[in-house]
Amino acid sequence: MRLSILSLLAAGLLGLAAPASAGPTLDAVRQNGAVRCGVPSGVAGMARPDSQGRWVGLHADICRAIAAAALGDADKVRFVPLTAQSRFTAVQSGEVDVLVYLTALTLSRDATLGLSIVAPPYFYTGQGFLVRRSLNITRAAELDGATVCATQGSVVERNLNDFAQRSNIRLTTIAFDTQPNVIAAFFAGRCDAISNDMISLSANRLAAPDPDAVVLLPELIAKEPHGAMVRNGDGEWALLVRWTISALIQAEEFGLTRETVVAARASTTDPQIRRFLGLNENVGAGLGLRDDWAFQVVRQVGDYGSLYERHVGARGLGLERGLNRLWNQGGMMMSWLW
């Protein structure tokens, strides 16, 4: 009897010491050999193929970071271009493992889609307007009676209706199934303005046949924190995506870049950085990850600040960081504690 009790206690202790299950999505990702990442069908600065067919942009690199964490290889990602209408269905049906899209985080989406919003947000922006310079409009309230092109099935339409009611103006929305069709209609003269998040509008302005012929109005009609989404029911996978995004932000706060992280791992004595890089303990064991997963994210992909500058900031779309600065630099970007 005593031996039996000791055996049971030993088995229990072993069970407690064992790492938590990786979860069904990570198991499937490893079996498939790639993270299937849903992205926009082509938005400059966020996700689009370059001239060699390689996906580039902030969204694309977040997908690569998830692959680096989950599989140890940032190249083991399959990009699945989606429309605004198909993006949520693609996650619900299991066509993609994670959605890294121009997706505003809203209560209705979190409560009704059967999907989980993954915090923290990886991009803070807002909805605005791109208008023809010939209209001589400097404020959104001057759009009374205008026609506005927008993406069908997105929160953009609802925000336009809310803004029109608040401002007591009339707006006629013309909806199209994809963002490229919205842009084409605007440049073809079918509407007076287009409305979307500011990152998309900035990219549209730069891609215009004559960028000086269009004006990006400075005011926002709605706030839009953007974040990743996954299917409900797999908490381990949601945590993996959450902490991967957090790792990109934390790497910037630590001053770790793709170019410096290898040397830092060999020489640092900072206990927080050593824990982050998997030298003191494996903080990802409960997610089924290897001890150097965060190190691989930074080594293979980089830190949030570098990604922003490369794709959205001075080397990309030329946008100021604003709210996307770190929390200790006047912005909203803050990683969770390590």
Side-chain angles (χ1 to χ4, degrees):
M1 176 68 70
R2 183 179 178 183
L3 181 59
S4 176
I5 292 174
L6 289 175
S7 298
L8 287 172
L9 287 171
L13 289 172
L14 286 173
L16 289 173
S21 169
T25 304
L26 181 54
D27 288 341
V29 163
R30 286 173 171 163
Q31 184 175 356
N32 295 332
V35 174
R36 299 168 302 169
C37 200
V39 294
S41 54
V43 177
M46 290 296 171
R48 68 175 180 177
D50 63 12
S51 57
Q52 283 75 46
R54 185 176 188 272
W55 283 83
V56 296
L58 180 63
H59 286 127
D61 277 346
I62 289 174
C63 292
R64 291 189 176 94
I66 295 169
L71 300 171
D73 189 341
D75 290 328
K76 290 185 177 179
V77 55
R78 182 162 68 85
F79 295 100
V80 182
L82 302 169
T83 66
Q85 293 80 11
S86 66
R87 54 183 163 167
F88 300 128
T89 303
V91 191
Q92 293 162 344
S93 66
E95 179 185 353
V96 298
D97 304 306
V98 58
L99 182 68
V100 185
Y101 202 97
L102 295 166
T103 302
L105 306 182
T106 68
L107 170 61
S108 59
R109 287 173 172 171
D110 202 18
T112 64
L113 293 175
L115 304 177
S116 295
I117 288 175
V118 178
Y122 58 76
F123 195 81
Y124 290 93
T125 184
Q127 184 174 327
F129 292 97
L130 186 67
V131 303
R132 302 184 185 286
R133 187 178 294 276
S134 59
L135 295 178
N136 293 319
I137 288 176
T138 59
R139 297 172 54 247
E142 297 172 355
L143 285 166
D144 189 20
T147 55
V148 182
C149 288
T151 306
Q152 187 178 35
S154 71
V155 75
V156 169
E157 290 184 274
R158 187 184 70 180
N159 289 340
L160 283 172
N161 291 332
D162 291 348
F163 169 71
Q165 290 184 37
R166 288 196 311 267
S167 305
N168 195 28
I169 64 174
R170 294 177 300 105
L171 293 178
T172 300
T173 302
I174 305 176
F176 295 88
D177 57 347
T178 66
Q179 183 64 12
N181 287 340
V182 171
I183 300 166
F186 175 60
F187 291 144
R190 295 184 60 184
C191 47
D192 301 310
I194 54 177
S195 186
N196 207 335
D197 62 87
M198 295 297 276
I199 183 71
S200 296
L201 295 180
S202 298
N204 299 156
R205 182 178 59 83
L206 290 176
D210 181 7
D212 290 333
V214 293
V215 176
L216 185 61
L217 299 184
E219 62 196 294
L220 303 178
I221 66 170
K223 60 185 177 183
E224 287 196 9
H226 287 185
M229 299 189 80
V230 298
R231 286 182 300 282
N232 282 348
D234 190 344
E236 290 85 2
W237 180 247
L239 288 173
L240 185 152
V241 174
R242 172 185 301 164
W243 283 100
T244 299
I245 295 171
S246 188
L248 294 171
I249 300 169
Q250 186 62 57
E252 181 184 8
E253 185 174 336
F254 280 149
L256 300 172
T257 69
R258 189 168 56 178
E259 294 74 25
T260 65
V261 70
V262 173
R265 193 170 194 261
S267 62
T268 185
T269 59
D270 186 307
Q272 284 188 313
I273 296 178
R274 289 181 62 83
R275 183 163 57 249
F276 176 78
L277 297 176
L279 294 171
N280 287 351
E281 59 185 278
N282 183 2
V283 294
L287 305 179
L289 299 180
R290 43 194 273 178
D291 56 4
D292 69 341
W293 68 273
F295 167 72
Q296 295 300 334
V297 167
V298 183
R299 184 183 71 82
Q300 297 183 45
V301 182
D303 65 287
Y304 182 84
S306 297
L307 299 186
Y308 189 99
E309 288 305 304
R310 183 186 312 156
H311 302 302
V312 186
R315 294 163 54 196
L317 297 177
L319 293 183
E320 293 291 332
R321 280 189 68 172
L323 293 178
N324 295 297
R325 296 182 184 278
L326 291 178
W327 65 277
N328 55 7
Q329 297 175 8
M332 297 282 287
M333 283 294 163
M334 178 186 292
S335 75
W336 293 26
L337 294 177
W338 287 78

